[in-house]
Amino acid sequence: MSLLTVDELTVTFTQRGKPDVRAVDGVSFTVDQGEVVGLVGESGCGKSVTSLALMRLLSGRNVKIGGSVVFDGIELLKLRSEEMRDLRGSQLAMIFQDPLSSLNPVVPIGVQVTEILTRHRKLRGEAARKEAAVLLEKVGIPDPTRRLREYPHQMSGGMRQRALIAMAVACAPRLLIADEPTTALDVTIQAQILELLKELVDSQGTALLMITHDLGVVAGLCDDINVLYAGKVVEAAARRPLFAAPTHPYSVGLLNSIPRLDAPRGEPLKPIRGSVNDNIAWADGCAFAPRCDHYTIECLQGPPALTEALTGHRYRCVNPVTTHEPPAVIATEDGR
Amino acid sequence: MSLLELHDLKVHFPIRRGIVFDRTVGHVYAVDGVSLSIESGQTYGLVGESGCGKTTLGRAVLRLNEITAGKVVFDGTDLAQLSEKEMRRRRNRLQMVFQDPLGSLDPRQNVESILVEGLAAHDIGKTRDERRKRVLKTLDAVGLPGNALSRYPHEFSGGQRQRIGIARALVLEPDLIICDEPVSALDVSIQAQVLNLLEGIQQELGLTYLVIAHDLAVVRHISDTIGVMYLGNLVEEASSDDLYAAPRHPYTKALMSAVPVPDPLVEETRERILLTGDLPSPANPPAGCRFHTRCPWRQETRCDTERPELRQIGTGHRVACHFAEQIESGEIRPTSELAAAILPDAEVQTEVPNA
Amino acid sequence: MTTKTDKIDRLAELTAARAEPEHGLGLWREAFRRLKRNPMAVSGAVIVLLFLVIAILAPWLAPYDPEARTWDHEVFQNQNIFVGPRAENWLGLDNAGRDELSRIIVGARQSLLVGVVATGLGFAVGALLGGLAGAAVGLGGRVGQRVDAVIMRVVDMLLAMPSLLLAVSVAAILGPSLLTVMVAVGVTQVPIFARLLRGSMLAQSHSDYVLAANALGVKRRRIVLGHIVPNSLGPVLVQGTLSLATAIIEAAALSYLGLGNPDTSYPEWGSMLADAQRFLSGAPQLAIYPAIVIIITALGFTLLGEAMRESLDPKLRK
């Protein structure tokens, strides 16, 4: 059985005087023990909201969450908030994009790490401090005992992110959720952090849910990948088949949009046209249709279903990309 | 002749302390002696990580920062020597596109007023109609509809805002456009649109670009020549293809191996050079080679005492490393303490795959 | 069979709902639109308008002459005999046998006048000083920095004095008069506006669009006037609205301390409160009525100001 099963998760934001916004619109995926699963998409696709929803970090009267999130046999969405709080930090942990604002600026790093050890592992005093130093050492922070006394602003972005990871893995969580953990960092530091995450997954068997916009990061790290668009998973596959044979026109478009370091220079990029503002509602058809090169009238007959191919590749498209030649330009000029 | 030449450009920011009397207690060596030249009609890509001074350099060319020393020769004139007024007059020939499309547009101006502002500052176009015509032509060139004129920045999407920013630069018909992280604030699918737009405009108008970015893949895609900066210095410069095929400076090698490639096969097999530690502070840069604190190929004494010159190594390839040749030939191996940082991901160790 | 036109029509239909307006909405107009939808703003505006209308129409609204001691034979303050609300005097009589409701209504005039003029004065002088300092820094150079330093040290000195103490000293120096109250309250507002405008101008002058305007070759003067100042006014306007509330309270406080308008032929909320103090045990309502109207007006301005702050905040903009 999977460690985490997310089934038809929906998150709706309501606002007085405005139509409801469905940020997550029926997202389903699973994460197995020791597996790295990626949620990939551009801003506004619902990837971060998904992660916050399953950590139960979205609250307030104007948020409605539906569907189910089962972690290790427990339905998270039905837990009492105290029970959830016990799970967070011990079994489930999360790291965020901006390490500076995720740390308390007026408290030394050491105190912030030992706090977690005291809360979840009942370690106190000297024992907690020693363990904290061990943790910092483990995430590659040099001179950990001195670093424990430092404040977040005295550390570099990379060190802060390492400290956050140390706090997240302090209780050896079974699932680590990383929301754009390297986006704010330089590439050489990003490489260090990604290496660290890989090591943690390998050595501790922690499952990792990686949320990112960067297909390059996903390609090197994730076992399974879910591509999100406008609040739905539009394509899901294991890493190799996804990159070898992307099926949803959006995934294809994304891959064609990225300048690749190893591509011959002068090869033109093939961007996706328009922007997310052009989307139509899923109820009317495929939200991506207005930007899609494969758009046909069938795309507007209600929300497309998730189709499963023999290879285990799943895609939400009535008109998938099968050959990997560049797709024909849309019919506005050439009239197909 | 080169359109833009920098000769030993230095921009140092004083660090001031004190309540009553400001004392200068040190300097941030943001740009510390950079020389380069950009040919007319070409794109020069400047790449480096945060704090390397690339943005400061771009702004210094436009004299938006005070220049500490050195020359900025644009079309035969040293901009650093011009008076404020003369410089202001000349700004129609050098323009800039900014990273943050929303922040760089005044929220209270509509698109027309944003685009007309530059024309008015340089007394281009006599009548309102004349200016409007030129503005409309520019909007069309960047792919925005004419009805955008009366709308405000916050009503546009990120990609469209960046198009407005490009139009603002373009409407003055400049010779050189400095693009400071032109796509890094945009979504991937929109990045490609903007990159294609920049390339299209260049081909049509014969513009010269100085593209400043942290993303090596983006820079490689758009540039003819690439300069790699580290802590205020240019450490390597080569044509885009040469740099990719044969990076010579250890920092360039590390940078290149750290850029993720959206292809699992490449990711699994390529060589990785993981740098240890962080960028030293530009207020207190290391002596000798600025990179020696993180360099896996560091050699005793010379690297930490003698600052390497940017020297020619092959045609059009310049590198600032004492031991570039020896590293290339394998004569110098990565030092033991930092060698652990070089990890081939899979069993098969390959060279960085060629395109 | 579907044709190309079918496809495009259907798509157009689906996207038409969000057709973009031909004319864009400026920031101010959009902020105003948001303001109209904010219940806090609406209630604040209703309160403020109500009191403004009362103040303007006071002579016609007041049922009796506020100064006429028509019923002084019914009130004996020495014997603690007062008259509470009754059919002919809705709020009862004051200690001199005058109609309390009429006094409250007419009192709105002076209280609001003092509030508005004092804030206007503080706003004008403060914004001028702050704007000068901000512009001096924005224009740059050593001279600019000096000008800024001199102005701001003066402002700091004003700021260092407790505002009421400052007002009391001004009132004491100039001698009590209506103008004195306005000046005194206005002076206390000066440093607030000056600091706020300068700070906000400094923040704006580091923004990217100012850099962009510089890169365009726009003259510095035009950058300061055309970009920095308009974008810095938002928080200052908000402060202005909030300051109206404090100004009314401070004006009342000055009157209460006996430093108000010596011309007692017109009622004023602050002096009414002061007068009522002596009869607190016998007729607490005489203190409560002016206190309530002071609180409500202040609340109205505060609500409006807070709502303005929200609607002008660019981060909350959609």
Side-chain angles (χ1 to χ4, degrees):
Chain A
M1 207 192 73
S2 300
L3 180 64
L4 178 79
T5 309
V6 177
D7 190 33
E8 285 297 313
L9 181 73
T10 58
V11 180
T12 314
F13 294 99
T14 56
Q15 211 181 345
R16 199 189 42 233
K18 284 185 187 161
D20 291 358
V21 177
R22 179 155 283 198
V24 178
D25 197 0
V27 165
S28 310
F29 61 92
T30 59
V31 182
D32 289 338
Q33 189 86 42
E35 193 189 26
V36 184
V37 171
L39 294 186
V40 196
E42 298 179 288
S43 50
C45 73
K47 55 190 192 301
S48 289
V49 177
T50 302
S51 67
L52 292 173
L54 52 95
M55 282 294 272
R56 292 265 307 269
L57 289 170
L58 286 174
S59 55
R61 269 173 301 168
N62 57 349
V63 188
K64 288 202 199 86
I65 301 179
S68 106
V69 178
V70 178
F71 173 75
D72 198 19
I74 310 164
E75 170 60 59
L76 294 185
L77 297 182
K78 297 214 173 74
L79 278 189
R80 282 185 301 127
S81 44
E82 306 87 78
E83 294 172 319
M84 189 64 212
R85 217 168 298 150
D86 282 337
L87 269 186
R88 275 201 298 259
S90 62
Q91 302 264 332
L92 284 158
M94 188 158 181
I95 45 181
F96 296 90
Q97 171 174 355
D98 182 0
L100 186 55
S101 58
S102 313
L103 289 164
N104 185 342
V106 295
V107 176
I109 294 289
V111 176
Q112 304 192 43
V113 180
T114 47
E115 210 170 55
I116 293 173
L117 295 171
T118 311
R119 163 94 170 80
H120 292 291
R121 281 172 60 184
K122 312 278 175 273
L123 288 175
R124 271 167 217 293
E126 195 51 38
R129 269 193 294 280
K130 268 204 184 121
E131 180 63 21
V134 170
L135 277 170
L136 290 198
E137 179 121 58
K138 196 163 86 182
V139 297
I141 296 181
D143 202 357
T145 31
R146 185 174 61 85
R147 289 286 182 172
L148 283 175
R149 285 193 298 273
E150 284 189 358
Y151 290 88
H153 69 90
Q154 292 171 296
M155 304 174 96
S156 69
M159 284 300 149
R160 284 197 286 261
Q161 194 59 283
R162 282 173 193 270
L164 266 189
I165 294 175
M167 287 160 67
V169 300
C171 305
R174 301 180 56 198
L175 175 66
L176 182 62
I177 301 177
D179 186 358
E180 302 267 11
T182 57
T183 307
L185 306 173
D186 280 322
V187 267
T188 55
I189 309 296
Q190 162 171 293
Q192 295 171 358
I193 298 291
L194 292 178
E195 203 55 48
L196 172 65
L197 287 175
K198 265 187 223 169
E199 277 168 27
L200 286 174
V201 170
D202 287 348
S203 64
Q204 307 199 333
T206 311
L208 176 64
L209 180 61
M210 182 81 181
I211 289 152
T212 179
H213 71 281
D214 192 331
L215 281 167
V217 167
V218 173
L221 187 67
C222 298
D223 302 313
D224 266 331
I225 295 162
N226 298 279
V227 181
L228 268 74
Y229 188 80
K232 276 191 193 295
V233 175
V234 293
E235 180 159 10
R239 166 169 61 156
R240 288 197 184 198
L242 182 80
F243 283 94
T247 309
H248 195 282
Y250 176 65
S251 321
V252 176
L254 267 188
L255 282 168
N256 284 340
S257 305
I258 307 173
R260 276 177 64 154
L261 189 61
D262 58 347
R265 189 177 127 64
E267 192 166 283
L269 302 173
K270 296 184 215 79
I272 302 173
R273 107 187 93 76
S275 71
V276 283
N277 295 346
D278 300 325
N279 288 354
I280 57 172
W282 278 112
D284 293 330
C286 177
F288 185 62
R291 304 177 68 190
C292 183
D293 290 339
H294 287 251
Y295 155 70
T296 66
I297 195 80
E298 284 78 35
C299 298
L300 302 180
Q301 262 117 46
L306 202 63
T307 317
E308 182 146 7
L310 287 172
T311 48
H313 211 110
R314 288 175 297 148
Y315 52 89
R316 193 182 292 280
C317 183
V318 292
N319 208 10
V321 182
T322 43
T323 54
H324 284 89
E325 284 149 19
V329 184
I330 204 215
T332 38
E333 282 103 19
D334 62 2
R336 235 181 347 148
Chain B
M1 201 188 75
S2 309
L3 182 68
L4 181 75
E5 283 177 24
L6 308 184
H7 296 289
D8 203 22
L9 181 71
K10 287 182 184 167
V11 181
H12 298 170
F13 296 111
I15 307 169
R16 294 218 171 90
R17 291 267 163 75
I19 305 157
V20 186
F21 302 104
D22 285 349
R23 271 178 315 125
T24 301
V25 292
H27 285 94
V28 174
Y29 300 92
V31 178
D32 201 18
V34 170
S35 305
L36 54 87
S37 67
I38 305 176
E39 302 303 315
S40 183
Q42 298 268 301
T43 301
Y44 191 101
L46 205 54
V47 72
E49 297 179 288
S50 50
C52 73
K54 56 189 192 300
T55 293
T56 308
L57 184 140
R59 291 182 181 177
V61 171
L62 280 177
R63 291 252 317 258
L64 296 172
N65 285 330
E66 237 168 86
I67 294 170
T68 310
K71 282 187 192 166
V72 179
V73 181
F74 175 74
D75 203 12
T77 322
D78 183 6
L79 299 182
Q81 301 301 322
L82 292 184
S83 75
E84 181 115 352
K85 200 173 165 193
E86 288 168 319
M87 185 61 218
R88 196 178 63 69
R89 290 245 175 85
R90 210 167 288 251
R91 288 219 166 104
N92 62 338
R93 298 194 55 197
L94 302 96
Q95 274 301 304
M96 190 152 185
V97 172
F98 294 85
Q99 169 174 14
D100 176 5
L102 187 57
S104 62
L105 301 172
D106 185 337
R108 277 167 222 288
Q109 280 185 308
N110 64 19
V111 171
E112 178 162 23
S113 140
I114 291 171
L115 296 188
V116 164
E117 183 157 41
L119 295 179
H122 294 281
D123 289 320
I124 301 169
K126 286 177 192 70
T127 61
R128 198 184 138 95
D129 274 352
E130 204 174 313
R131 281 180 185 166
R132 175 167 278 195
K133 231 179 243 163
R134 185 148 164 177
V135 163
L136 280 172
K137 209 179 79 190
T138 315
L139 275 188
D140 189 50
V142 299
L144 284 174
N147 69 7
L149 278 186
S150 58
R151 288 159 63 202
Y152 290 80
H154 65 260
E155 299 174 277
F156 293 90
S157 68
Q160 288 174 316
R161 283 175 199 147
Q162 195 57 300
R163 286 171 196 264
I164 299 172
I166 294 171
R168 170 172 60 188
L170 215 54
V171 76
L172 291 174
E173 299 182 355
D175 300 308
L176 173 75
I177 297 185
I178 297 171
C179 304
D180 187 3
E181 300 276 9
V183 296
S184 68
L186 305 175
D187 265 328
V188 180
S189 64
I190 310 296
Q191 281 192 7
Q193 295 175 359
V194 171
L195 287 176
N196 281 0
L197 173 68
L198 286 172
E199 283 178 315
I201 295 169
Q202 181 173 40
Q203 274 163 20
E204 209 159 300
L205 304 174
L207 285 170
T208 309
Y209 287 145
L210 172 57
V211 176
I212 296 162
H214 71 280
D215 187 335
L216 194 52
V218 166
V219 169
R220 170 166 149 75
H221 176 82
I222 199 168
S223 311
D224 300 295
T225 309
I226 297 178
V228 181
M229 277 186 84
Y230 185 80
L231 270 188
N233 287 115
L234 204 57
V235 295
E236 185 162 6
E237 182 191 75
S239 76
S240 184
D241 288 327
D242 277 357
L243 189 80
Y244 173 72
R248 303 301 284 276
H249 195 281
Y251 177 64
T252 316
K253 288 174 192 269
L255 194 62
M256 210 167 266
S257 83
V259 176
V261 174
D263 186 341
L265 300 176
V266 175
E267 280 292 315
E268 281 162 23
T269 51
R270 69 193 184 136
E271 183 191 38
R272 250 166 217 287
I273 303 166
L274 272 193
L275 293 180
T276 50
D278 283 313
L279 195 75
S281 159
N284 187 19
C289 174
R290 299 258 151 117
F291 186 58
H292 83 259
T293 52
R294 298 170 77 194
C295 181
W297 286 272
R298 178 185 61 215
Q299 296 299 302
E300 281 306 312
T301 65
R302 192 163 174 208
C303 286
D304 34 1
T305 52
E306 189 186 330
R307 183 124 162 230
E309 289 284 314
L310 192 66
R311 59 198 169 91
Q312 200 81 22
I313 181 170
T315 38
H317 204 139
R318 296 195 294 162
V319 63
C321 175
H322 296 306
F323 300 103
E325 289 87 352
Q326 289 91 326
I327 292 171
E328 183 67 19
S329 67
E331 203 175 306
I332 295 178
R333 314 286 303 170
T335 36
S336 56
E337 76 189 273
L338 291 160
I342 301 192
L343 1 121
D345 242 24
E347 289 72 39
V348 245
Q349 181 170 355
T350 53
E351 282 295 298
V352 182
N354 279 318
Chain C
M1 271 308 285
T2 58
T3 63
K4 162 193 147 197
T5 30
D6 276 351
K7 278 166 63 174
I8 294 168
D9 284 353
R10 181 79 184 108
L11 208 54
E13 204 178 294
L14 287 170
T15 44
R18 299 177 315 251
E20 289 151 348
E22 276 294 301
H23 278 273
L25 273 183
L27 214 56
W28 290 114
R29 272 199 287 167
E30 211 197 276
F32 182 64
R33 243 181 31 176
R34 253 199 317 269
L35 208 56
K36 277 194 301 191
R37 290 204 206 105
N38 185 341
M40 208 159 89
V42 174
S43 36
V46 166
I47 294 174
V48 168
L49 271 180
L50 187 74
F51 276 97
L52 275 180
V53 168
I54 289 176
I56 293 166
L57 301 180
W60 296 277
L61 281 180
Y64 306 101
D65 179 352
E67 291 305 317
R69 298 167 181 242
T70 322
W71 296 276
D72 57 356
H73 54 278
E74 291 180 44
V75 176
F76 302 98
Q77 25 175 303
N78 305 339
Q79 292 154 45
N80 236 358
I81 296 174
F82 294 96
V83 176
R86 58 183 183 183
E88 43 184 325
N89 311 99
W90 290 0
L91 296 182
L93 303 176
D94 79 343
N95 57 311
R98 295 171 290 198
D99 180 47
E100 181 76 5
L101 178 63
S102 304
R103 291 181 65 75
I104 294 274
I105 290 176
V106 176
R109 290 198 127 179
Q110 219 183 83
S111 289
L112 285 183
L113 183 72
V114 170
V116 170
V117 173
T119 306
L121 206 69
F123 186 100
V125 178
L128 187 74
L129 287 178
L132 267 178
V137 180
L139 290 172
R142 279 236 166 267
V143 184
Q145 299 220 335
R146 290 265 162 77
V147 172
D148 171 58
V150 170
I151 294 177
M152 289 328 283
R153 288 306 84 75
V154 173
V155 168
D156 282 349
M157 274 170 5
L158 285 179
L159 199 63
M161 303 247 272
S163 62
L164 198 59
L165 190 65
L166 192 64
V168 168
S169 358
V170 173
I173 294 166
L174 296 181
S177 78
L178 185 61
L179 188 70
T180 304
V181 179
M182 294 174 180
V183 172
V185 175
V187 166
T188 65
Q189 314 266 24
V190 165
I192 303 171
F193 287 113
R195 282 225 83 103
L196 200 64
L197 183 59
R198 173 180 175 270
S200 143
M201 281 176 74
L202 282 195
Q204 295 297 333
S205 67
H206 292 139
S207 65
D208 266 6
Y209 64 82
V210 168
L211 196 70
N214 249 323
L216 275 182
V218 179
K219 289 190 179 128
R220 281 189 190 259
R221 203 167 24 130
R222 159 105 191 98
I223 293 177
V224 170
L225 293 178
H227 293 288
I228 299 180
V229 170
N231 277 296
S232 310
L233 282 179
V236 185
L237 283 183
V238 170
Q239 180 60 43
T241 319
L242 295 174
S243 282
L244 276 168
T246 22
I248 288 170
I249 294 171
E250 270 181 21
L254 281 183
S255 304
Y256 177 83
L257 292 173
L259 293 165
N261 190 356
D263 178 6
T264 48
S265 59
Y266 268 102
E268 197 270 337
W269 294 342
S271 48
M272 285 168 69
L273 198 59
D275 291 344
Q277 188 188 215
R278 285 178 287 150
F279 320 108
L280 215 49
S281 57
Q285 76 273 15
L286 292 185
I288 291 171
Y289 296 140
I292 285 178
V293 286
I294 290 173
I295 291 169
I296 293 179
T297 354
L299 183 74
F301 282 116
T302 310
L303 282 176
L304 196 59
E306 286 296 336
M308 269 169 69
R309 188 203 301 281
E310 253 177 46
S311 71
L312 283 172
D313 187 344
K315 267 177 266 152
L316 297 170
R317 197 168 0 111
K318 263 282 208 183

